[in-house]
Amino acid sequence: MATINDNYLKLKAGYLFPEIARRVNTFAEGNPEAQIIKLGIGDVTEPLPEACCKAIVKAVEEMGDRATFKGYGPEQGYPWLREKIAIQDFQSRGCEIDASEIFISDGSKCDTGNILDIFGHDNTIAVTDPVYPVYVDTNVMAGNTGDAKNNGEYEGLVYLPITAENNFTAEIPSEKVDLVYLCFPNNPTGATATKEYLKKWVDYAKANGTIIFFDSAYEGYITDPTLPHSIYEIEGARDCAIEFRSFSKSAGFTGTRCAFTVVPKTLKGKASDGSDVEIWKLWNRRQSTKFNGVSYIVQRGAEAAYSDEGKSQIKQLINFYLENAKIICDKLTAAGLKVYGGVNAPYVWVKTPNNLSSWDFFDKLLHNTNVVGTPGSGFGAAGEGYFRISAFNSRQNVEEAMRRITENFKL
Amino acid sequence: MATINDNYLKLKAGYLFPEIARRVNTFAEGNPEAQIIKLGIGDVTEPLPEACCKAIVKAVEEMGDRATFKGYGPEQGYPWLREKIAIQDFQSRGCEIDASEIFISDGSKCDTGNILDIFGHDNTIAVTDPVYPVYVDTNVMAGNTGDAKNNGEYEGLVYLPITAENNFTAEIPSEKVDLVYLCFPNNPTGATATKEYLKKWVDYAKANGTIIFFDSAYEGYITDPTLPHSIYEIEGARDCAIEFRSFSKSAGFTGTRCAFTVVPKTLKGKASDGSDVEIWKLWNRRQSTKFNGVSYIVQRGAEAAYSDEGKSQIKQLINFYLENAKIICDKLTAAGLKVYGGVNAPYVWVKTPNNLSSWDFFDKLLHNTNVVGTPGSGFGAAGEGYFRISAFNSRQNVEEAMRRITENFKL
């Protein structure tokens, strides 16, 4: 009889966002008049940039004409998009990244999960705590962990706490890990990394043969000119890092779907016979065999993000969300709360007052102000006592949510 | 040091289509005046149906307006698309398939590879020979096979030969297999399956706890009203089959990317403790965690395939390619070749004359007529002595290719 992948049974059923939805629905049923404002899930709300819309419509016209119709595209993405990315996102910042090292995909969530396909099951894997849950769950599903422990952690993973005490930047581990996930600007804490900090990781990785999975889906939110946008701004990172990028939070592509992953050709892993194998070749084979490329019309939309018009519109979008984040930070601070992040990131990470648990704060905020956020403990044990508020919403909703918190929230 | 997935090293480097490209390029360089016609790769050439284009443009307009903008959609696809599929593709044919059992994706190639994520590594897996290479390669990559043998087969897989002798429909295996891939209308042979034949497989699967992966990406090409379009037309298939469908070859979505997979809620697999586990729950978890849904605008395009206008335009498209297939069959038969398929399928499967090997026929055809097809041996050892010609091309190219073969090809 067909057997299943037993590792799936290790996954905890109570996933964060379904539990939030359950509590919100229960509250809404009991309080049908309540005007609930959701600052929970990290999803954009502003329309797609006009430049992207125009480019997609033009591409649809091409698809409707036999002379310009496009069938299967390259699994790795069209050269015209890969080249713009390589030049504008990397070479312009002094990163030696070639277009052939850019793999266009339909999402960073997919890529950060799928990347595990090409690695062995005997690697020691480190994640931060709190962390984007997909990094953990995909390792569980791939069989890279043991069972869940009572505190929600999984046996076999190395957890690196990030809290106010270490400025939400993980200490370099004293032990040796083979793969490590880093996310800057960070989801959920909104923390950023300096070049000096990333250099420590690159040095560690090169000394230990570690590969860094660097998730920079929120790099567009960096406004501080001293902060690196890419790990490849650090010398040596080509030999030890894969970078994940997305159009979701910059160009508002969460519902349009386009992202990319950078795999330098100089990056190597070990085969079981001890020989070195180029990671690029494995990922290229993986994508060629299990993926068929991103929709042509969507790639044309992503390309428009690199036009002058597109860049200007995206800058406006990001500034809009960053202004939301500033309002949230200012108002919550004025209300007596301690906040982190929200400056070079769309997330504000709030310390719960009076030692309230994350979920107690969630319930209190929901009941007193009808505002929904995300409990920090949902991102990991070290997120307990924190709370994430997202800047992705209309100005009106953000201002109304902050007004309610300022006026009605009893600390 | 980070270790790699060693299973990738088992994959043979010389994949079929790169080798074809190499030989064609070499020929083209030596014969720059040659007008090469490619009837090799199975990619559509006609424009996207107008109904789909219109729906996509309308959806882009929605994305450009704050009031109608769509962020993340359901990972499983939008209900309005899943419902139309359930009703029009399944319930209208008497198949008890609910909308919640339809998972929208960006491609059947992705889904047939990714489905292995949720199964154990101890399953005995059967494929036909010849076969769509992705079924085999994804099993190699997942660690479900041993090494490659000299004849190109992999240790540990069960190969079911399909040749003229069995009408290109595999015998029901005498041994027990846990997972089996069936593809009808078949790529590469163009063969079809009757209800009686599929019933034998369903009976076998139910008796042995086998799960059938039924790939019906070409079901739109079925014109014979007695042939089943879905395996769920067979009683009992809900308990033993997953079906893969695509908009690629029907609505011409190869470059637009939309497909779906049907996982009935009654389908079960075994956990290692012997308990039954619902496959639907595992696939739902896999897609929720490792996928973020198909682009909203593309799903709106796919939805238009179910409108009256869309259905009529798709019928025209398919009839066009089927007419190409008929021309190919007629002309090759007149040229003295034995052909199969090409009636309810866009592929014509040609027996090579005079015991020519598949690659010798490829070279002869390329050199004598400048026509490119696909050597049958590239799809598996039992494909040796056969050759695939695709009906996906313009009428002019198909007619010119057939004229050259009729006039210039020396048997």
Side-chain angles (χ1 to χ4, degrees):
Chain A
M1 183 165 182
T3 64
I4 61 138
N5 176 354
D6 269 329
N7 295 304
Y8 275 63
L9 306 182
K10 297 175 189 166
L11 290 165
K12 286 162 297 167
Y15 184 62
L16 177 59
F17 292 104
E19 175 60 17
I20 291 175
R22 195 189 64 73
R23 295 194 188 204
V24 171
N25 289 342
T26 304
F27 176 78
E29 281 164 22
N31 302 271
E33 77 299 341
Q35 298 288 315
I36 296 172
I37 298 177
K38 296 184 181 178
L39 300 176
I41 206 161
D43 193 4
V44 296
T45 53
E46 293 297 296
L48 214 57
E50 199 189 339
C52 301
C53 289
K54 283 201 296 197
I56 297 174
V57 168
K58 184 165 170 287
V60 175
E61 283 164 13
E62 289 178 60
M63 293 300 259
D65 181 340
R66 185 176 293 101
T68 49
F69 175 78
K70 301 282 184 303
Y72 291 120
E75 287 97 347
Q76 302 83 354
Y78 278 98
W80 33 261
L81 179 55
R82 303 171 84 189
E83 280 157 18
K84 286 192 181 66
I85 291 169
I87 292 169
Q88 296 199 29
D89 283 333
F90 297 98
Q91 293 166 18
S92 73
R93 296 186 182 279
C95 309
E96 271 182 75
I97 294 294
D98 186 74
S100 64
E101 299 172 321
I102 310 284
F103 290 82
I104 312 297
S105 83
D106 64 327
S108 280
K109 182 176 164 188
C110 318
D111 283 353
T112 54
N114 291 336
I115 197 77
L116 295 174
D117 278 11
I118 63 171
F119 288 97
H121 293 303
D122 52 351
N123 289 302
T124 302
I125 298 165
V127 294
T128 62
D129 175 9
V131 69
Y132 176 48
V134 166
Y135 305 158
V136 173
D137 289 356
T138 53
N139 271 293
V140 176
M141 288 153 66
N144 294 341
T145 73
D147 288 327
K149 297 186 279 191
N150 286 338
N151 66 354
E153 294 184 351
Y154 287 91
E155 300 280 358
L157 285 185
V158 174
Y159 289 86
L160 309 173
I162 51 175
T163 61
E165 286 67 46
N166 60 21
N167 204 23
F168 303 101
T169 48
E171 314 280 338
I172 306 295
S174 50
E175 66 198 295
K176 197 169 149 318
V177 304
D178 302 305
L179 303 174
V180 59
Y181 294 78
L182 298 178
C183 174
F184 291 107
N186 188 251
N187 176 14
T189 68
T192 52
T194 62
K195 282 188 187 173
E196 295 67 36
Y197 176 71
L198 289 185
K199 180 159 191 318
K200 285 185 200 169
W201 273 109
V202 169
D203 290 346
Y204 168 85
K206 292 191 71 166
N208 291 285
T210 309
I211 291 179
I212 299 169
F213 294 158
F214 192 75
D215 184 345
S216 58
Y218 298 93
E219 66 82 26
Y221 289 80
I222 295 174
T223 49
D224 180 340
T226 69
L227 294 175
H229 288 240
S230 165
I231 194 156
Y232 304 116
E233 292 182 50
I234 313 305
E235 203 186 322
R238 276 185 60 84
D239 302 327
C240 63
I242 290 171
E243 183 162 315
F244 302 95
R245 288 271 186 109
S246 172
F247 294 92
S248 285
K249 308 301 165 73
S250 54
F253 268 47
T254 55
T256 303
R257 315 300 316 138
C258 198
F260 59 91
T261 289
V262 188
V263 185
K265 288 189 175 168
T266 44
L267 185 65
K268 296 201 171 59
K270 276 270 180 263
S272 59
D273 66 1
S275 62
D276 286 342
V277 177
E278 283 179 37
I279 299 297
W280 185 94
K281 283 190 182 166
L282 300 179
W283 186 245
N284 190 55
R285 185 67 194 243
R286 195 264 168 219
Q287 293 298 83
S288 303
T289 308
K290 296 180 74 173
F291 185 58
N292 237 330
V294 171
S295 181
Y296 171 72
I297 59 176
V298 170
Q299 289 190 66
R300 282 295 186 196
E303 184 193 27
Y306 294 93
S307 66
D308 288 343
E309 191 193 354
K311 280 188 283 193
S312 153
Q313 290 163 1
I314 288 169
K315 198 171 175 186
Q316 278 180 13
L317 265 182
I318 288 176
N319 284 344
F320 172 80
Y321 294 125
L322 282 175
E323 185 67 25
N324 280 352
K326 186 172 180 338
I327 292 168
I328 295 168
C329 286
D330 289 350
K331 295 287 182 183
L332 294 184
T333 303
L337 290 162
K338 178 73 187 156
V339 300
Y340 303 93
V343 179
N344 295 285
Y347 297 123
V348 179
W349 191 240
V350 185
K351 182 77 192 84
T352 63
N354 307 328
N355 291 320
L356 276 178
S357 79
S358 296
W359 278 110
D360 285 347
F361 186 79
F362 174 92
D363 288 332
K364 204 170 155 73
L365 200 66
L366 177 60
H367 287 259
N368 289 3
T369 70
N370 307 337
V371 172
V372 179
T374 313
S377 58
F379 297 100
E384 181 57 275
Y386 292 94
F387 197 77
R388 191 186 78 174
I389 293 189
S390 154
F392 294 121
N393 214 313
S394 67
R395 181 61 43 81
Q396 191 186 347
N397 279 347
V398 166
E399 287 179 340
E400 170 62 11
M402 292 307 116
R403 187 193 62 75
R404 291 185 200 166
I405 293 174
T406 311
E407 295 180 7
N408 305 336
F409 194 64
K410 310 286 176 290
L411 290 184
Chain B
M1 183 165 182
T3 65
I4 61 138
N5 176 352
D6 269 330
N7 295 304
Y8 275 63
L9 306 181
K10 297 175 189 166
L11 289 164
K12 287 162 295 168
Y15 185 62
L16 177 59
F17 292 104
E19 176 61 17
I20 291 175
R22 195 189 65 75
R23 293 193 190 205
V24 172
N25 290 341
T26 304
F27 177 77
E29 280 164 22
N31 301 271
E33 77 299 337
Q35 298 288 315
I36 296 172
I37 297 177
K38 295 184 183 179
L39 300 175
I41 206 161
D43 194 2
V44 296
T45 53
E46 294 297 296
L48 215 57
E50 199 189 338
C52 301
C53 289
K54 284 201 295 197
I56 298 174
V57 168
K58 183 165 172 287
V60 175
E61 283 163 13
E62 289 178 59
M63 293 299 260
D65 182 341
R66 185 176 293 101
T68 49
F69 175 77
K70 301 282 184 304
Y72 290 121
E75 287 97 348
Q76 302 83 354
Y78 278 98
W80 34 261
L81 178 56
R82 302 171 84 189
E83 280 157 17
K84 286 192 180 67
I85 291 169
I87 292 168
Q88 296 199 30
D89 283 334
F90 297 98
Q91 293 166 18
S92 72
R93 295 186 182 281
C95 308
E96 271 182 75
I97 295 294
D98 185 74
S100 64
E101 299 172 320
I102 310 284
F103 291 83
I104 311 297
S105 82
D106 65 325
S108 280
K109 182 177 163 187
C110 318
D111 284 352
T112 53
N114 292 336
I115 197 76
L116 294 174
D117 278 11
I118 62 170
F119 288 96
H121 292 304
D122 52 350
N123 289 302
T124 302
I125 297 165
V127 294
T128 62
D129 176 8
V131 69
Y132 176 48
V134 167
Y135 305 156
V136 172
D137 289 356
T138 53
N139 271 293
V140 176
M141 288 152 66
N144 294 341
T145 74
D147 288 327
K149 297 185 277 191
N150 285 337
N151 66 355
E153 294 183 350
Y154 287 90
E155 300 281 358
L157 286 184
V158 174
Y159 289 86
L160 308 173
I162 50 175
T163 60
E165 285 67 45
N166 59 20
N167 204 23
F168 302 101
T169 49
E171 315 279 339
I172 307 293
S174 48
E175 66 198 296
K176 196 168 149 320
V177 302
D178 301 304
L179 302 172
V180 59
Y181 293 78
L182 297 178
C183 173
F184 291 107
N186 187 251
N187 176 15
T189 69
T192 53
T194 62
K195 283 188 186 172
E196 295 67 36
Y197 176 71
L198 289 186
K199 178 155 194 321
K200 286 186 199 168
W201 272 109
V202 169
D203 290 346
Y204 168 85
K206 292 191 73 167
N208 291 283
T210 309
I211 292 179
I212 299 169
F213 294 158
F214 192 75
D215 184 347
S216 58
Y218 298 93
E219 67 82 25
Y221 289 80
I222 294 174
T223 50
D224 180 339
T226 69
L227 294 176
H229 288 239
S230 165
I231 193 155
Y232 304 115
E233 292 181 51
I234 314 305
E235 202 186 324
R238 276 185 61 84
D239 303 327
C240 64
I242 291 172
E243 183 162 316
F244 302 94
R245 287 273 185 110
S246 173
F247 294 92
S248 286
K249 307 300 164 72
S250 54
F253 268 47
T254 54
T256 302
R257 314 302 314 138
C258 198
F260 59 91
T261 289
V262 188
V263 184
K265 288 188 175 168
T266 44
L267 186 65
K268 296 203 170 58
K270 276 269 179 264
S272 60
D273 66 1
S275 63
D276 284 343
V277 178
E278 283 180 37
I279 299 296
W280 184 94
K281 283 190 181 166
L282 300 179
W283 186 244
N284 190 54
R285 184 69 194 242
R286 194 263 168 218
Q287 292 300 84
S288 303
T289 308
K290 296 180 74 173
F291 185 58
N292 238 330
V294 171
S295 181
Y296 172 72
I297 59 176
V298 170
Q299 289 191 65
R300 282 294 185 197
E303 183 193 27
Y306 293 93
S307 66
D308 288 344
E309 192 193 353
K311 281 188 282 193
S312 151
Q313 289 163 0
I314 288 169
K315 197 171 176 186
Q316 278 180 14
L317 266 182
I318 288 175
N319 283 345
F320 172 82
Y321 294 126
L322 282 175
E323 184 68 24
N324 279 352
K326 184 170 181 341
I327 292 168
I328 294 168
C329 286
D330 289 351
K331 294 288 182 181
L332 294 184
T333 303
L337 290 162
K338 178 73 187 155
V339 300
Y340 303 92
V343 178
N344 295 286
Y347 296 123
V348 179
W349 191 241
V350 185
K351 182 79 193 82
T352 63
N354 307 326
N355 291 319
L356 276 179
S357 78
S358 296
W359 279 109
D360 284 347
F361 186 79
F362 173 92
D363 288 333
K364 205 171 154 72
L365 199 66
L366 176 60
H367 287 259
N368 288 4
T369 70
N370 309 335
V371 172
V372 179
T374 313
S377 56
F379 296 99
E384 179 58 273
Y386 291 94
F387 197 77
R388 190 186 80 172
I389 293 189
S390 154
F392 294 122
N393 215 314
S394 67
R395 181 62 43 81
Q396 191 186 348
N397 278 347
V398 165
E399 287 180 338
E400 169 63 11
M402 292 306 116
R403 186 194 63 74
R404 292 184 198 166
I405 293 175
T406 311
E407 294 179 8
N408 305 336
F409 194 63
K410 309 287 176 291
L411 292 182

